[in-house]
Amino acid sequence: MTINSVLVANRGEIARRVFHSCRERGISTVAVYSTPDAGAPFVLDADTAVHLPGTAASETYLRGDLVIAAALKAGADAIHPGYGFLSENAGFARAVQAAGLTWIGPPPEAIDFMGSKIESKLLVAVGGVPVLTELDPASVTEEQLPVLIKASAGGGGRGMRIVRALADLPAELEAARTEAASAFGDGTVFCEPYLETGHHVEVQVMADTHGTVWAVGERECSIQRRHQKVVEEAPSPLVERTLGMREKLFEAAVAAAKAVNYVGAGTVEFLADETGRFYFLEMNTRLQVEHPVTECTTGLDLVALQLEVAAGGKLPQVQPAAPTFLAGGSSIEVRLYAEDPASGWAPQTGTVQRFQVDGLAESFALPVRERGLRLDSSVEAGSSVSIHYDPMLAKLIAWAPTRTEAARILAKALATARIHGVRTNRDLLVNILRHPAFQAGDTDTAFLGTHGLETLAAPVAGPEEEKLAALAAALAGAALRRDQARNHGVLGGMPSGWRNLPSVRHTTTLSGPAGEHPIRYALGRRGLEAEGFGGTGVVHLSADRVSLDVDGLVRTWQVAHYATNPGNVLEVDTSAGSVSFTEVERFPDPSLAVAEGSLTAPMPGAVVSVHVQAGDAVTAGQALLVLEAMKMLHTIGAPADGTVVELPVAVGQNVDVGMVLAVVNAAESAAE
């Protein structure tokens, strides 16, 4: 069988990743895209693209009939599902095959078996693989708490809830079912015992139609937030230090794959304790988000192997050894999300004004030397991040001869990257990579809780660095205004800083993560005179670069300016971290003010439920309504005890950032 043209039934970075391997092998590529994705990088990367009219995944990427019709229209002879959406939908796999197309994935029967986390545990348990006991949600007892609710049909943290009190179980079950149905089209959920600490270890498998199954390598993905992986690495630190664990893991993973006659790339996931005992969690019948760390430690192109196996190719009986320059090395991947840690991790939307990572060796490709950086990104400068899909922007991957070096390379690249336009979890990732516990390999599932999510998410540029960055931003802003004035012929012949009389100090107030920074300075014949910045002199000053001598040390900041309303944004980047500032308006528009007690939308989204009415008395933290954005549910709670006096939204309504959702008069105010 020959594959000449592949349609990728997905979007974003995974579509671009599959296109990369196809191009290298002379295979034509086809993209499908929704209306919001028109013009996205993955669409432009494809040889041919087919529009699926609509915005929501349910009317575009989850419409298997439309995807197959697009493949036939574009002349594709195979479909690669990527991950998420229809990738683990056995009905879609069967429909692809029934249409005469090659399905680049496992047999539909294997997807059926492993697609249900409930049934798959029963299946592998028969083969002797240890499993956690499944609990019926209707009969969970106090003694069995805490429990973890999980979606039977999906992953990625959707539909997952930890329940520690029996009274919370019904509401959490309903929320989990709603989220699972929205993300996967199947609201089936189940419960299992929740282990407060453990290690999430998974084994990459690759199998052909001739009976050969490889255990390609293991990964550790223990550091997670809201059950979504944040940092992944190969090999696993736990497995590396536990004698005999790798062999047992590989044996269990191969047994699980053979139990369902598996074909193609798949991942068998386990939960392990510190002693090396492990329990089967699930098998993902697709390529994983974190597959690059396996590629960067084995030298194997997993997508290329998927293509070869789907075409009927035969794997060697023995897996090829990694290239010499990768042998014994380590690879770490981080997921860069568009989310704002300072606003409750609300997903971010908008335009990515700049996306630049220095020192990249590869994009989507295999390593060609012993250390380097790889970027698998869904966005470029100018890309739009919409409300409709997952907020992951990119994966940045480092590899090196040692784990310590890989972490250092990755942290440095993240800290110095120029990412403008949307807030991200970049500081969290850098702080994790530089944390002593991470560097020691102590990375269990409680990592963020143990070391404090708020502490780990603190800006890499601390308060003093932010203060200096604010000064640099203020000086660059003045330089920009000077350049604009000269371009318009205003004082065009006068030297910079010229005054015919002594002038008062300039004052600019910038708002950053640490609060407001009033910058007062004068720049004239005597150099820079800035309040609170003694011993600081100007070495270079332009609108986009400022170099200052700070107590004998020359520091440089790159500054970018973006016109917004209200308040211009200045993005300041330096080797010590990046800071985003907003100019504080001296005379704010009173029409933009909102009433006291107003709860505004932290993100664009759709109202999926409203739990109160105007006039209701509420208590602090009580759920008022729920928004759906980027395939996740976000509860808006009352800020204090009081009374709901306004509720201007309804179920099904779309809201923008800053829109008033409700107004709550605090109890004290109501009494007055």
Side-chain angles (χ1 to χ4, degrees):
M1 181 190 310
T2 300
I3 295 176
N4 295 306
S5 179
V6 172
L7 179 143
V8 178
N10 220 291
R11 62 181 299 279
E13 54 85 23
I14 183 56
R16 302 184 79 188
R17 168 68 188 91
V18 176
F19 293 160
H20 174 87
S21 288
C22 287
R23 278 195 304 270
E24 285 195 332
R25 283 150 188 81
I27 298 173
S28 298
T29 56
V30 181
V32 287
Y33 66 96
S34 66
T35 301
D37 277 338
F42 80 92
V43 179
L44 303 179
D45 278 358
D47 295 322
T48 305
V50 181
H51 183 209
L52 304 180
T55 55
S58 59
E59 56 189 7
T60 54
Y61 299 109
L62 288 173
R63 284 286 304 274
D65 56 336
L66 298 182
V67 172
I68 291 170
L72 296 173
K73 179 179 181 180
D77 47 32
I79 290 182
H80 191 299
Y83 47 70
F85 294 133
L86 295 167
S87 62
E88 295 179 281
N89 186 312
F92 177 60
R94 290 188 176 95
V96 169
Q97 294 174 336
L101 301 168
T102 298
W103 168 248
I104 305 176
E109 296 75 21
I111 299 175
D112 275 332
F113 278 121
M114 290 302 185
S116 166
K117 295 181 178 66
I118 299 171
E119 297 300 326
S120 63
K121 285 187 176 184
L122 297 174
L123 178 68
V124 300
V126 172
V129 178
V131 300
L132 288 171
T133 305
E134 181 208 337
L135 304 173
D136 180 359
S139 58
V140 171
T141 65
E142 196 78 40
E143 293 72 26
Q144 292 171 320
L145 297 175
V147 297
L148 179 65
I149 303 172
K150 299 179 74 174
S152 180
R158 276 84 181 186
M160 276 194 182
R161 295 288 192 282
I162 300 171
V163 179
R164 304 182 189 279
L166 209 54
D168 296 337
L169 186 59
E172 295 291 10
L173 280 168
E174 182 59 30
R177 290 183 180 117
T178 300
E179 197 167 86
S182 174
F184 314 116
D186 184 345
T188 305
V189 299
F190 68 99
C191 293
E192 66 184 18
Y194 177 67
L195 304 185
E196 296 286 358
T197 61
H199 293 263
H200 187 117
V201 181
E202 59 191 33
V203 179
Q204 175 72 59
V205 297
M206 182 66 69
D208 64 17
T209 57
H210 308 280
T212 299
V213 181
W214 290 348
V216 180
E218 92 280 346
R219 302 182 284 255
E220 181 152 346
C221 313
S222 298
I223 299 180
Q224 302 178 12
R225 192 183 72 79
R226 293 185 66 178
H227 310 294
Q228 285 193 314
K229 299 164 186 174
V230 176
V231 180
E232 301 116 336
E233 58 180 307
S236 157
L238 173 67
V239 175
E240 284 282 277
R241 62 176 178 258
T242 306
L243 186 64
M245 184 179 178
R246 179 169 289 122
E247 290 77 11
K248 293 177 182 177
L249 273 173
F250 284 8
E251 182 180 326
V254 170
K258 288 186 173 181
V260 292
N261 297 315
Y262 198 80
V263 174
T267 302
V268 186
E269 301 195 353
F270 300 93
L271 184 65
D273 64 21
E274 195 60 42
T275 70
R277 289 182 303 177
F278 57 84
Y279 305 91
F280 173 85
L281 287 176
E282 61 182 322
M283 183 176 186
N284 289 305
T285 53
R286 54 175 168 79
L287 198 66
Q288 291 278 90
V289 178
E290 57 271 24
H291 76 275
V293 294
T294 298
E295 295 186 324
C296 290
T297 49
T298 64
L300 295 173
D301 184 329
L302 296 178
V303 174
L305 288 171
Q306 285 185 293
L307 296 170
E308 292 172 16
V309 166
K314 190 173 184 179
L315 296 174
Q317 289 291 316
V318 178
Q319 178 183 323
T324 304
F325 66 86
L326 293 180
S330 180
S331 180
I332 306 172
E333 171 184 295
V334 292
R335 301 189 190 189
L336 189 70
Y337 287 102
E339 56 189 7
D340 186 0
S343 298
W345 301 89
Q348 298 288 287
T349 59
T351 301
V352 179
Q353 303 286 3
R354 189 166 195 166
F355 196 84
Q356 177 183 332
V357 181
D358 292 333
L360 290 178
E362 313 290 347
S363 289
F364 304 104
L366 299 180
V368 293
R369 57 179 191 242
E370 66 179 1
R371 59 176 57 78
L373 281 167
R374 165 175 161 176
L375 179 68
D376 286 18
S377 174
S378 63
V379 300
E380 297 172 346
S383 294
S384 177
V385 181
S386 79
I387 179 182
H388 303 287
Y389 311 113
D390 189 286
M392 190 172 75
L393 300 177
K395 306 176 307 196
L396 188 60
I397 309 103
W399 71 92
T402 68
R403 183 176 182 272
T404 299
E405 187 178 357
R408 185 171 62 241
I409 291 171
L410 189 52
K412 176 70 171 177
L414 276 170
T416 57
R418 306 191 72 183
I419 305 167
H420 302 166
V422 291
R423 300 189 188 279
T424 71
N425 64 334
R426 182 237 305 259
D427 289 330
L428 170 67
L429 302 175
V430 173
N431 288 328
I432 289 173
L433 293 167
R434 290 175 173 171
H435 197 281
F438 178 85
Q439 301 211 346
D442 297 333
T443 57
D444 61 26
T445 54
F447 187 92
L448 297 184
T450 299
H451 303 291
L453 178 60
E454 186 174 338
T455 300
L456 289 167
V460 171
E464 285 304 310
E465 178 60 35
E466 182 176 325
K467 182 180 175 183
L468 279 169
L471 174 60
L475 293 172
L480 177 64
R481 289 188 287 274
R482 177 200 65 203
D483 293 345
Q484 290 171 337
R486 285 179 171 173
N487 290 337
H488 287 85
V490 180
L491 300 178
M494 296 299 179
S496 175
W498 180 87
R499 297 288 187 277
N500 64 344
L501 291 171
S503 66
V504 296
R505 295 195 170 190
H506 300 285
T507 299
T508 300
T509 302
L510 300 174
S511 178
E516 291 191 354
H517 300 270
I519 306 297
R520 299 180 180 89
Y521 70 94
L523 190 59
R525 295 184 181 90
R526 291 181 296 181
L528 175 65
E529 297 176 0
E531 292 182 13
F533 296 93
T536 301
V538 174
V539 176
H540 174 86
L541 175 56
S542 64
D544 59 2
R545 185 167 67 88
V546 177
S547 293
L548 301 177
D549 185 321
V550 183
D551 295 325
L553 298 176
V554 176
R555 303 280 305 281
T556 297
W557 292 263
Q558 305 290 332
V559 184
H561 310 257
Y562 301 101
T564 61
N565 185 27
N568 294 326
V569 172
L570 294 93
E571 300 278 5
V572 184
D573 298 292
T574 181
S575 59
S578 299
V579 187
S580 179
F581 294 104
T582 302
E583 288 184 341
V584 177
E585 295 285 302
R586 295 180 65 187
F587 306 104
D589 184 348
S591 68
L592 298 177
V594 296
E596 183 178 354
S598 295
L599 297 174
T600 58
M603 71 207 79
V607 179
V608 295
S609 62
V610 177
H611 301 295
V612 295
Q613 296 179 349
D616 285 356
V618 294
T619 57
Q622 179 180 338
L624 305 182
L625 53 93
V626 177
L627 293 180
E628 182 178 21
M630 295 181 172
K631 300 195 290 184
M632 300 290 282
L633 299 180
H634 306 270
T635 300
I636 307 299
D641 295 353
T643 303
V644 179
V645 295
E646 288 185 41
L647 194 67
V649 296
V651 173
Q653 182 175 342
N654 290 323
V655 299
D656 293 323
V657 174
M659 181 174 173
V660 175
L661 304 174
V663 180
V664 177
N665 275 1
E668 294 82 3
S669 301
E672 293 174 5

